[in-house]
Amino acid sequence: MSSFFVLLLLASSLLHGHAQLQPKDQTFISLLITQNGLDFVKDLLVNKAIFSIISLHLPSIEKSRKIPVVGNVYMMVSNITIYEIDVPSSHVKPGETGISIVASGVTCNLSMNWYYSYSTWLGPVEISDKGRAEVQVEGMEVGLTLGLENQEGSMKLKLEDCGSYVKDISIKLDGGASWLYQGFVDAFEGAIASTVENAITKKLKEGISKLDSYLRSLPKEVPVDDHASVNVTFVNDILLSDSSVGFETNGLFIKRSVSLPVPDLFYKNSRLPILCQNSSKMLGITLEESVFNSASALYYDAKFMHWIVDEIPNQSLLNTAEWRFIIPQLYKKYPNHKMNLNISLSSPPVVEISNQKAGANVFADLIIDVLEEDEVIPVACISLVIQGSGLVKINGNNLVGAVRLDDFAMSLKWSNIGNLRMYLIQPVVWTLVETVFLPYANAHLSKGLPLPIIHGLTLESAEVILSTSSVAVCSDVAFESKIKQQQKPYSSM
């Protein structure tokens, strides 16, 4: 039953550090489940319900009935077991107050033991018999209505209505006297139908209760790595239309395992800027550029944006001899000395998203270090403004990217070896950025931002759409096991 809300696990948060000034009740990640997505989830729910009902044992039923000529007959059916159920038609419909799921034309097959006994007018001799019986329930209607509510940042599931109705039932006895058959059927037909209705309704209520407990026990943050998480607190009310269900979250990055206060969850200007143009997709997720900027702010505050570069593809660049024509005074003062490049960001990278591209502006300081025996000597610092743009796509359940260098500017911040001719240094720095900085950044971007989909399911045929200040992911959802099975080569017969 827990599969019902497999697509609902998106996040919200308050961010410490540079992002803590963001309004805590504002939406930065939105999610929309379309009618096709609801149909997919409904099928999961129906399959789970069928699985839980098959092999269900129903309570025994006892009856006493007066039959002409024979007299009073005691009858009992026991070991009543549902062994097969078929749901040929079902549909799900969202509305203003919740989501209704109705299954029609349900057939249900049961097996049971029967027993009867009576005493004849000829003497105090008890006559009894027993056997097996098959029961077929046809034309059953099963329905339930679920209410969705944001309760202090967790999803609360309320069962508004639940019931089932048996239209027709047939009982086929194996053994027994033919004259007893009609009396037996008349005695138990209604009771068995009522027992089936009550048992299925009870089972559904139990399942919804477990699902509600499961949803409310979900953790409030989704780990991204050892240092960062996305807080999984819902904000605002659930948005229901006649063909979709919408959720809003804050979605900013937080330090992992930080205890957070409960935010003000009800921001009245609710909106769902889902950009999916293909309405046949099951799921739409919109991430504002603030989500990515919150990530860069968090990692910047945690001092993860600082690197000592001592190995590069062209290793000769890390020796002053290679710089003798570019910075003569460096080679003159430190001839044939090894070098390090000390790169640190001076502020968090700024992500900008438009209709045409996703880009970033990076502000960094490049310090040239000379190594003399066991001493590291900083000799000059160059300020860089790097402009990059790149590709955003889906890999599995992760939103991943790759960046390329568009342009950069540089200026001398300070120098211990006199003035530097920046026009000579610029081609070398460009090469360093392309061969060192970008590969490092792309290695991390390739790991991606995990979209919180429950294990066992994966996004399928996903599309990424860029718009002003946001990225939309429009996708179907499938079982990983099914995908692996489809990819497995056929074995020979």
Side-chain angles (χ1 to χ4, degrees), residues 289 292-293 349-354 356-362 386-392 403-404 406 466:
E289 63 183 24
F292 309 102
N293 285 322
V350 179
V351 177
E352 296 179 347
I353 302 173
S354 67
Q356 289 79 30
K357 66 178 182 178
N361 295 321
V362 180
I386 303 170
Q387 296 179 344
S389 61
L391 174 69
V392 181
V403 65
R404 65 177 179 270
D406 290 341
L466 301 181

Side-chain angles (χ1 to χ4, degrees), residues 140-143 162-166 193-194 196-201 204:
M140 178 184 290
E141 300 281 336
V142 180
C162 181
S164 59
Y165 169 72
V166 172
S194 179
V196 171
E197 291 171 349
N198 293 336
I200 290 179
T201 300
L204 291 176

